[in-house]
Amino acid sequence: MTTILVTGAAGFIGSNFVRLLVKRKEPVRLVAFDKLTYAGNLANISDLLGDQVIFVKGDICDTDKVVRTVRDYHVSQIVHFAAESHVDRSILGSGPFVQTNVVGTQVLLDIAKSERIEKFLYVSTDEVYGTLPEDRPDIKFTEETPLQPNSPYSASKAAGDCLVRAYFHTFGLPVLTTRCSNNYGPYHFPEKLIPLFVTNLMENKQVPLYGDGKNIRDWLYVEDHCDAVYTVLQKGRFGEVYNVGGNNEMTNRQITEIILREMNKPWDKFVRYVQDRPGHDRRYAIDASKIKRELGWEPKHRFEQAIKTTIQWYRDNEKWWRDIKSGDYLKYYETQYAHR
Ligand SMILES: NC(=O)c1ccc[n+]([C@@H]2O[C@H](COP(=O)([O-])OP(=O)(O)OC[C@H]3O[C@@H](n4cnc5c(N)ncnc54)[C@H](O)[C@@H]3O)[C@@H](O)[C@H]2O)c1
């Protein structure tokens, strides 16, 4: 059976990826490798652990630990989600972003090379392309768009992206890259816009809206992204980049309006405008025609329904996000899994 090392598997998208493969009964063993930074939460996957899903706590920058894990579990494929992922934090300090997103990716690539890994998939982001004009809806990011990252986060992801490309061209490493737009769904850390707004409103607190609220993002349900990643892993051509998007552009203001409406909260009382993020990209839009044409992937979820499912998930899993907001989740590993 194929064994896949999933880095960052205790985070938002990584945990949804593991969950999707288990749900679909895919014939793979998954080694969930995660440092459990503030963004990693073992509670995201603890119900899945067993013969098919194994958890290893480790840092992707730790060569010995990764090599040992690859050898111990006979890993043949790597899906690399692990990253420092929050733009605002990268503005406060870019050191951890360069360390994990650049150095960590280089460490994994070297190990993939020395351990003769059969497939290495790098989960990148549309943010590596920079920003688009808001008055030109005809222009979208294609895989050929030059990389012009504008935040320390996206710069570090772009550096990882370039290293992946270089290992393909220099060493013939069997790499694949996906560049996806903004995700939403269950297990999303409540510092990001949608889970922050939903959980704040559940606590009857205001939601902070950046600048004029007119920044445009493309939004994709996380399960669709995970499905795309697995599709590329199975059918993608080595050395290729695949854009992944929801064809669902919305301003932050529109997202806020939808969430407020779903949660029966009035705009005037619950929205607080805050000073814009420095260097805030104005618009991201993804042309995902290549992955549809070549691999037959397209999103299955529509925003109108999936946002309702998402809000309901936060209603049903109040303890999950309350533990994060209170910091209690940080003790989870120690109390539940110290013996592992
Ligand atoms: N969230 C999005 O909308 C989005 C969109 C496109 C691409 N991406 C990319 O997808 C990936 C996952 O994003 P996410 O939103 O799930 O992030 P996240 O912050 O929720 O999860 C990141 C995970 O990586 C782990 N991690 C961090 N540093 C590590 C290290 N040095 N060693 C091992 N594990 C480490 C964390 O503990 C955490 O579990 C990232 O590479 C991100 O750039 C995210």
Side-chain angles (χ1 to χ4, degrees), residues 167-227:
Y167 274 63
F168 174 73
H169 286 279
T170 308
F171 306 112
L173 201 74
V175 301
L176 300 150
T177 298
T178 56
R179 294 188 188 135
C180 187
S181 54
N182 277 31
N183 286 211
Y184 64 98
Y187 300 102
H188 204 178
F189 198 82
E191 67 180 351
K192 306 281 173 75
L193 189 139
I194 289 182
L196 178 71
F197 283 20
V198 170
T199 57
N200 271 14
L201 292 173
M202 285 176 70
E203 293 180 295
N204 258 328
K205 288 186 186 157
Q206 288 188 315
V207 300
L209 188 59
Y210 273 136
D212 61 5
K214 290 188 183 153
N215 300 67
I216 300 169
R217 301 289 180 263
D218 174 63
W219 291 92
L220 181 71
Y221 191 55
V222 65
E223 197 173 291
D224 282 327
H225 182 197
C226 295
D227 180 44

Side-chain angles (χ1 to χ4, degrees), residues 43-64:
N44 294 358
I45 51 167
S46 54
D47 58 315
L48 304 171
L49 299 183
D51 291 341
Q52 192 184 5
V53 182
I54 297 141
F55 176 70
V56 176
K57 185 171 189 283
D59 186 336
I60 56 167
C61 302
D62 180 348
T63 303
D64 290 346

Side-chain angles (χ1 to χ4, degrees), residues 6-16 33-42 44 56-62 66 80-86 96 99-101 104 122-127 153 157 178-184 187-189 191-192 218-220 222 225 244:
V6 183
T7 72
F12 167 44
I13 308 175
S15 66
N16 275 284
F33 188 92
D34 202 295
K35 184 180 172 183
L36 299 184
T37 66
Y38 81 93
N41 184 355
L42 198 52
N44 294 358
V56 176
K57 185 171 189 283
D59 186 336
I60 56 167
C61 302
D62 180 348
V66 180
H80 177 28
F81 289 99
E84 288 292 338
S85 70
H86 193 37
Q99 186 61 24
T100 286
N101 303 359
Y122 177 66
V123 181
S124 192
T125 160
D126 64 353
E127 300 193 30
Y153 161 68
K157 289 297 292 185
T178 56
R179 294 188 188 135
C180 187
S181 54
N182 277 31
N183 286 211
Y184 64 98
Y187 300 102
H188 204 178
F189 198 82
E191 67 180 351
K192 306 281 173 75
D218 174 63
W219 291 92
L220 181 71
V222 65
H225 182 197
V244 181

Side-chain angles (χ1 to χ4, degrees), residues 7-8 35 37-39 59-61 80-91 93-109 120 122-125 127-128 149 151-164 192:
T7 72
K35 184 180 172 183
T37 66
Y38 81 93
D59 186 336
I60 56 167
C61 302
H80 177 28
F81 289 99
E84 288 292 338
S85 70
H86 193 37
V87 176
D88 288 349
R89 288 181 188 252
S90 81
I91 294 167
S94 57
F97 287 74
V98 173
Q99 186 61 24
T100 286
N101 303 359
V102 187
V103 177
T105 300
Q106 170 256 316
V107 167
L108 289 177
L109 286 165
F120 182 99
Y122 177 66
V123 181
S124 192
T125 160
E127 300 193 30
V128 296
S151 73
Y153 161 68
S154 54
S156 66
K157 289 297 292 185
D161 213 302
C162 292
L163 280 169
V164 171
K192 306 281 173 75

